[in-house]
């Protein structure tokens, strides 16, 4: 893998004129909408409304506008950014890696990671495909799942239907060649419950994952313990895979990015997911797509995720069965 400066020079020296033209068009539209919004604010401010309501409305409008303008991108600009920047970063992590915005990770693949038991809507895009370390089949992509809520009248007619987001972020599947005779669930602790979903022992036995009961175990890092609980059917193998250095790296990852990874290991398969509030692989709302800091931001984040994958595979392969 090349160092960042080499990757940045390669991206910067390539012909990205189409990308820069679309960036300027995107910025002009944002400036246009900003001018319109300022005019709207001045109009509202001059209306004869009670000051307290006027200020509440103006503050709400400004906050909403900032959120919208930060997340607004022309689709053509976003696609070119992924073509000229993201794909080049990805391809330099491993020669086999290819960035495919149209590819979709199947719902069955996601469900096999046991992160969720059910959802009503599923969407996947912006995938990276290839062979991790030139050896292991690798899939990584954005996934969003939603569950449906409905209100009914007394005759069971639908009055209202809404969807609640269960997960929105990054999902990874790696199939390495060493079969581990155990199943491990690393799940984040939530305020009012332990996790969104960890299969019960009854469910696990029905799925023929294991005939033994799963136990919740303590790990060798107090900071990790505050973030996670761990459920497994093999305490010793779990401790061998999740070494103190790996636990510390995961904690540091959470501290740096405010993201808590969740992990499932089942035989030869490794699943990871990262719940991320911001849209992945999208350009900065204001900065040039070819600015050093912007390209470096994407590179460092992707590299940090890949490091967790590397450490997991390394630790698994060092185990003597």
């Amino acid at each position: 893998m090349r160092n960042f400066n080499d990757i940045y020079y390669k991206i910067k020296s390539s012909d990205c004129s189409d990308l820069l033209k679309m960036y300027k068009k995107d910025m002009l539209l944002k400036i246009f909408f900003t001018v319109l919004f300022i005019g709207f604010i001045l109009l509202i401010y001059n209306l004869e409304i009670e000051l307290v309501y006027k200020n509440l409305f103006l503050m709400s409008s400004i906050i909403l506008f900032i959120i919208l303008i930060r997340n607004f991108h022309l689709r053509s600009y976003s696609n070119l950014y992924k073509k000229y920047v993201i794909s080049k970063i990805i391809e330099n992590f491993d020669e086999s890696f290819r960035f495919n915005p149209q590819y979709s990770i199947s719902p069955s693949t996601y469900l096999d990671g046991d992160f969720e038991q059910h959802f009503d809507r599923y969407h996947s895009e912006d995938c990276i495909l290839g062979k991790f370390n030139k050896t292991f089949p690798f899939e990584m992509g954005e996934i969003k799942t939603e569950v449906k809520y409905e209100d009914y009248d007394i005759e069971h007619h639908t009055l209202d239907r809404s969807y609640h987001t269960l997960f929105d972020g990054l999902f990874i599947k790696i199939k390495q060649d060493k079969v581990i005779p155990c199943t491990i669930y690393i799940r984040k602790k939530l305020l009012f419950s332990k996790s969104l979903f960890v299969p019960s022992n009854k469910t696990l036995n029905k799925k023929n994952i294991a005939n033994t009961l799963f136990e919740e175990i303590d790990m060798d890092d107090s900071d990790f313990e505050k973030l996670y609980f761990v459920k497994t059917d093999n305490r010793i193998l779990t401790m061998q895979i999740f070494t103190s250095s790996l636990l510390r790296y995961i904690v540091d990852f959470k501290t740096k990015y405010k993201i808590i990874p969740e992990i499932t290991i089942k035989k030869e398969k490794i699943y990871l997911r990262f719940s991320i509030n911001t849209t992945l692989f999208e350009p900065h709302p204001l900065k040039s797509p070819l600015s050093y800091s912007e390209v470096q931001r994407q590179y460092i984040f992707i590299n940090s995720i890949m490091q967790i994958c590397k450490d997991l595979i390394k630790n698994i392969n060092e185990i003597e069965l």
Side-chain angles (χ1 to χ4, degrees):
M1 183 183 74
R2 297 181 181 180
N3 63 44
F4 171 73
N5 287 331
D6 290 339
I7 296 172
Y8 180 72
Y9 177 77
K10 183 179 179 181
I11 294 172
K12 188 79 172 177
S13 60
S14 61
D15 183 9
C16 300
S17 55
D18 292 342
L19 173 63
L20 294 175
K21 286 178 184 177
M22 199 54 64
Y23 162 68
K24 291 177 182 178
K25 185 176 180 180
D26 189 81
M27 288 302 298
L28 284 172
L29 277 173
K30 287 178 179 175
I31 293 171
F32 173 73
F33 288 131
T34 301
V35 171
L36 285 181
F37 180 72
I38 292 172
F40 170 75
I41 292 295
L42 292 174
L43 177 64
I44 296 298
Y45 192 78
N46 289 316
L47 292 177
E48 294 184 1
I49 308 173
E50 284 191 41
L51 187 61
V52 62
Y53 295 118
K54 184 185 292 185
N55 288 339
L56 280 173
F57 180 78
L58 291 176
M59 287 300 297
S60 300
S61 299
I62 291 171
I63 292 171
L64 179 61
F65 178 77
I66 291 173
I67 292 172
L68 291 174
I69 210 72
R70 279 178 60 85
N71 290 281
F72 170 79
H73 296 296
L74 290 171
R75 174 53 57 183
S76 52
Y77 172 46
S78 178
N79 290 339
L80 286 172
Y81 177 76
K82 292 170 183 176
K83 175 183 176 181
Y84 287 105
V85 178
I86 299 300
S87 63
K88 296 296 183 291
I89 294 174
I90 296 300
E91 288 167 9
N92 280 279
F93 277 97
D94 195 301
E95 293 177 357
S96 73
F97 281 5
R98 290 295 178 268
F99 182 70
N100 189 336
Q102 286 75 43
Y103 183 83
S104 174
I105 293 175
S106 70
S108 60
T109 297
Y110 177 68
L111 281 170
D112 196 42
D114 288 332
F115 295 108
E116 291 168 17
Q117 198 168 16
H118 166 77
F119 44 78
D120 296 297
R121 280 182 175 174
Y122 176 90
H123 177 72
S124 173
E125 64 179 6
D126 290 349
C127 293
I128 299 167
L129 306 172
K131 300 276 189 179
F132 197 87
N133 289 344
K134 301 182 177 64
T135 307
F136 311 122
F138 177 88
E139 292 179 81
M140 180 170 86
E142 290 186 51
I143 284 177
K144 183 175 183 178
T145 61
E146 297 174 298
V147 65
K148 179 171 63 179
Y149 291 98
E150 293 182 330
D151 292 327
Y152 301 94
D153 61 18
I154 194 170
E155 296 179 353
H156 209 67
H157 297 142
T158 303
L159 295 176
D160 182 55
R161 177 181 297 161
S162 61
Y163 289 87
H164 172 70
T165 299
L166 289 175
F167 174 74
D168 190 3
L170 192 67
F171 173 79
I172 296 173
K173 176 188 175 182
I174 306 172
K175 186 177 180 181
Q176 42 98 40
D177 56 8
K178 190 167 187 175
V179 177
I180 301 297
C182 73
T183 301
I184 306 169
Y185 295 106
I186 309 293
R187 296 293 185 266
K188 64 182 177 181
K189 291 181 178 177
L190 301 179
L191 185 60
F192 298 109
S193 62
K194 289 183 176 179
S195 176
L196 294 178
F197 173 61
V198 169
S200 66
N201 290 320
K202 185 177 179 181
T203 303
L204 290 167
N205 289 330
K206 280 184 178 179
K207 294 171 70 174
N208 296 318
I209 293 178
N211 293 321
T212 58
L213 293 179
F214 276 55
E215 63 174 330
E216 200 172 316
I217 66 171
D218 297 327
M219 304 300 284
D220 295 331
D221 190 299
S222 58
D223 293 327
F224 185 89
E225 287 286 317
K226 295 174 185 176
L227 300 173
Y228 292 98
F229 76 95
V230 180
K231 198 169 186 179
T232 179
D233 59 351
N234 193 314
R235 175 188 293 267
I236 294 175
L237 287 179
T238 301
M239 300 295 284
Q240 288 178 323
I241 294 171
F242 289 89
T243 60
S244 58
S245 59
L246 177 54
L247 297 180
R248 177 46 43 185
Y249 188 88
I250 292 173
V251 170
D252 291 343
F253 180 91
K254 184 270 175 187
T255 302
K256 183 174 183 178
Y257 296 108
K258 305 298 184 288
I259 298 169
I260 304 178
E262 294 183 285
I263 304 169
T264 298
I265 298 178
K266 297 163 64 175
K267 297 183 179 179
E268 77 280 8
K269 298 174 184 176
I270 302 171
Y271 303 89
L272 303 94
R273 75 172 190 175
F274 305 77
S275 183
I276 300 170
N277 295 324
T278 56
T279 304
L280 293 169
F281 309 138
E282 295 290 345
H284 190 278
L286 299 176
K287 290 182 181 179
S288 166
L290 298 182
S291 71
Y292 187 90
S293 62
E294 173 59 13
V295 179
Q296 188 180 49
R297 175 183 68 86
Q298 294 282 10
Y299 172 85
I300 291 174
F301 179 67
I302 296 171
N303 185 58
S304 298
I305 290 174
M306 295 298 180
Q307 188 61 51
I308 295 176
C309 298
K310 286 180 182 178
D311 288 348
L312 282 169
I313 292 176
K314 172 179 171 291
N315 292 349
I316 288 172
N317 285 324
E318 288 178 351
I319 294 175
E320 295 183 8
L321 299 175

